[in-house]
């Protein structure tokens, strides 16, 4: 081998060793960064979550950090949360994960009804949508985990519920909800499973910590993607079956022609149905409106969609329901019935436990329906779910509640 070639091989060998050492140093630094991030996550979330599981979200990462506003204590008596951000190689942060703890002991109810938040976004990027109510892309209906007693999930969040038995520590709340949220788009099927495991594990640790005696069912074997596209009301099944029956009996009229349903489970402590009016039906209804109301129809096609949501709460869930008012929440007491602007509720006793049955109307749609139709629709819903669940002592809002609003 010539002298020149020998020197070239020596140079390449030395360079290769140097690159190997550099790569090794990077690997060691990455391991240290990840280990440090895992410890930070665990501390930020009050050691209720595994930092490693959070770091495995979104395909895995090397660095993450917690919000500076976290107090490193998740309180089972009040709504509290921890927030985690992904850190890229350029030291830029992006939303990653949030853990939320809610309790029935808090002055703010765990379950809130009211029309302040629409389930539909009205823009696709920067462009107005052609069909606003086709997909519930802002707030879809959560699907029950198994029979629902463990909690519920959407494509980007899982809520685990724990109803604390009477034999629990006196400081334990009646109801505890722990929610794990992925704060990035396109959450994978594996990440949905990972969120569920994180939320269930956090709930187990928190209930043990506060002396809440409860039994958490196992996670279901499958967590299929949660649909957000609305279907036809006339052929509704599951939790929205009553709507299809109502349309067949009374005709479409001004009733919603679209629904987003969930499976009806007799043990599910929270059961909801989202209803909406499609653009074709809005235009048909507009022909029969007076001049003032026709402005509402124009808004329904762009920025103020027509929608309704029915939700029933059973047992411990019924004891922490409130109506969302600006600046405050009004607690709805089981055994009562009534109305606030945009929301109505009725009560019953189901399986010996209190239940609340609610209806929320999107802005101005209650005016389009009118008090007679709205009252009839709400009664049909309450009649259906209380009959299906074998409930008694049903209390309905008075007719004046619908007329006065």
């Amino acid at each position: 081998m010539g002298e020149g070639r020998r020197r070239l091989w020596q140079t390449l060998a030395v360079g290769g060793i140097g690159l190997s050492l550099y790569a090794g140093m990077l690997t060691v630094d990455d391991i240290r960064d990840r280990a440090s991030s895992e410890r930070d996550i665990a501390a930020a979330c009050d050691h209720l979550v595994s930092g490693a599981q959070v770091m495995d979200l979104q395909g895995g990462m090397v660095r993450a950090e917690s919000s500076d506003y976290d107090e490193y204590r998740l309180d089972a008596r009040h709504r509290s949360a921890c927030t985690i951000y992904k850190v890229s190689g350029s030291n830029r942060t992006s939303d990653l994960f949030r853990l939320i703890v809610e309790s029935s002991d808090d002055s703010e109810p765990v379950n809130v009804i009211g029309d302040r938040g629409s389930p539909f976004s009205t823009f696709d990027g920067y462009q107005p949508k052609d069909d606003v109510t086709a997909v519930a892309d802002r707030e879809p209906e959560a699907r029950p985990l198994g029979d629902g007693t463990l909690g519920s999930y959407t494509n980007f969040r899982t809520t685990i519920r724990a109803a604390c038995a009477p034999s629990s520590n006196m400081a334990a709340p009646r109801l505890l909800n722990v929610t794990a949220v992925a704060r990035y788009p396109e959450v994978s099927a594996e990440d949905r499973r990972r969120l569920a495991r994180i939320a269930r594990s956090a709930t187990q640790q928190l209930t043990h910590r506060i002396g809440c005696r409860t039994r958490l069912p196992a996670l279901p074997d499958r967590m299929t993607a949660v649909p957000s596209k609305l279907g036809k009301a006339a052929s509704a099944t599951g939790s929205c079956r009553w709507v299809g029956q109502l349309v067949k009996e009374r005709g479409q009229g001004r009733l919603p022609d679209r629904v987003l349903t969930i499976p009806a489970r007799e043990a599910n402590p929270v059961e909801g149905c989202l209803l909406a009016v499609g653009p074709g039906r809005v235009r048909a209804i507009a022909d029969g409106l007076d001049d003032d109301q026709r402005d509402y129809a124009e808004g329904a096609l762009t920025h103020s969609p027509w929608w309704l949501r029915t939700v029933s709460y059973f047992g411990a869930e019924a004891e922490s329901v409130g109506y969302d008012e600006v600046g405050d929440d009004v607690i709805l007491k089981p055994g009562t019935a009534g109305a606030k602007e945009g929301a109505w509720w009725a009560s019953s006793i189901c399986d010996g436990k209190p239940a609340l049955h609610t209806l929320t109307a999107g802005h101005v749609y209650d005016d389009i329906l009118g008090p007679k139709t709205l009252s009839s629709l709400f009664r049909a819903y309450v009649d259906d779910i209380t009959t299906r669940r074998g409930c008694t002592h049903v209390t309905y809002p008075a007719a004046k509640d619908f007329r006065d609003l």
Side-chain angles (χ1 to χ4, degrees):
M1 182 182 294
E3 184 65 24
R5 185 173 293 181
R6 185 180 294 107
R7 288 180 179 177
L8 176 61
W9 278 109
Q10 289 174 342
T11 301
L12 290 175
V14 171
I17 294 171
L19 288 173
S20 297
L21 289 173
Y22 179 67
M25 290 173 62
L26 289 180
T27 302
V28 171
D29 286 343
D30 287 350
I31 292 172
R32 288 174 177 171
D33 285 345
R34 181 176 170 106
S36 176
S37 295
E38 290 177 3
R39 290 192 296 270
D40 183 42
I41 291 169
C45 296
D46 205 9
H47 299 281
L48 293 178
V49 305
S50 161
Q53 286 189 320
V54 174
M55 293 286 287
D56 285 339
L57 291 169
Q58 207 178 10
M61 63 202 66
V62 174
R63 292 179 59 203
E65 63 183 31
S66 62
S67 169
D68 292 335
Y69 298 102
D70 287 328
E71 297 181 359
Y72 304 98
R73 182 69 182 175
L74 296 181
D75 194 338
R77 297 167 300 173
H78 307 287
R79 192 182 194 278
S80 52
C82 63
T83 305
I84 307 300
Y85 301 97
K86 178 179 179 179
V87 182
S88 67
S90 57
N91 286 327
R92 292 183 178 180
T93 60
S94 56
D95 286 349
L96 177 65
F97 171 81
R98 188 168 173 82
L99 189 77
I100 305 168
V101 174
E102 297 172 292
S103 163
S104 58
D105 277 3
D106 196 355
S107 58
E108 296 181 14
V110 172
N111 304 299
V112 180
I113 65 171
D115 69 341
R116 290 182 63 192
S118 170
F120 306 99
S121 60
T122 55
F123 280 79
D124 185 3
Y126 295 100
Q127 297 296 322
K129 286 186 177 178
D130 294 330
D131 189 343
V132 177
T133 60
V135 178
D137 48 2
R138 179 174 289 169
E139 190 180 353
E141 294 300 285
R143 241 173 157 69
L145 281 167
D147 65 2
T149 54
L150 179 61
S152 60
Y153 75 102
T154 68
N155 288 331
F156 58 90
R157 64 191 294 153
T158 296
T159 296
I160 300 295
R161 63 181 299 277
C164 301
S167 58
S168 300
N169 187 301
M170 290 184 61
R174 180 82 171 85
L175 175 68
L176 187 68
N177 275 7
V178 178
T179 303
V181 185
R183 293 161 60 90
Y184 50 88
E186 304 300 328
V187 179
S188 67
E190 179 53 37
D191 276 1
R192 281 200 304 272
R193 293 285 304 172
R194 189 171 284 113
L195 287 171
R197 290 193 293 268
I198 291 171
R200 190 180 184 279
S201 175
T203 307
Q204 279 186 312
Q205 294 191 62
L206 187 55
T207 54
H208 179 74
R209 183 183 294 177
I210 65 175
C212 166
R213 293 184 176 274
T214 189
R215 188 187 73 83
L216 298 181
L219 288 168
D221 293 332
R222 296 178 65 240
M223 291 176 60
T224 57
V226 177
S228 56
K229 183 178 180 180
L230 277 71
K232 295 181 180 179
S235 56
T237 59
S239 63
C240 298
R241 186 184 62 178
W242 63 275
V243 184
Q245 294 175 336
L246 190 66
V247 170
K248 290 175 183 176
E249 292 171 2
R250 306 182 188 182
Q252 187 64 63
R254 298 182 182 182
L255 295 175
D257 63 331
R258 291 176 167 177
V259 296
L260 181 56
T261 185
I262 64 169
R265 302 280 190 259
E266 293 304 308
N268 191 1
V270 181
E271 182 179 296
C273 171
L274 176 63
L275 308 92
V277 185
R281 196 66 211 156
V282 168
R283 295 186 182 97
I285 294 172
D287 292 338
L289 300 177
D290 57 38
D291 291 341
D292 292 339
Q293 288 184 321
R294 285 185 183 178
D295 291 338
Y296 296 159
E298 290 296 323
L301 297 173
T302 55
H303 60 276
S304 185
W306 292 347
W307 59 274
L308 301 171
R309 175 173 264 139
T310 59
V311 188
S312 284
Y313 304 94
F314 301 90
E317 299 284 351
E319 297 171 11
S320 188
V321 180
Y323 169 73
D324 186 10
E325 281 191 330
V326 178
D328 199 7
D329 290 319
V330 178
I331 302 296
L332 307 182
K333 295 182 178 180
T336 67
K340 293 282 185 179
E341 186 174 358
W344 293 263
W345 71 96
S347 294
S348 70
I349 300 295
C350 306
D351 195 26
K353 299 176 183 178
L356 278 172
H357 315 285
T358 70
L359 169 69
T360 295
H363 184 56
V364 310
Y365 187 41
D366 52 350
D367 190 38
I368 295 297
L369 287 174
K372 184 177 179 179
T373 300
L374 192 58
S375 175
S376 176
L377 184 149
F378 184 49
R379 191 176 186 96
Y381 163 64
V382 176
D383 283 348
D384 178 83
I385 195 164
T386 53
T387 299
R388 177 158 53 87
R389 295 261 189 152
C391 306
T392 61
H393 299 82
V394 184
T395 304
Y396 298 92
K400 69 177 183 63
D401 289 328
F402 292 90
R403 288 197 304 270
D404 293 344
L405 295 175

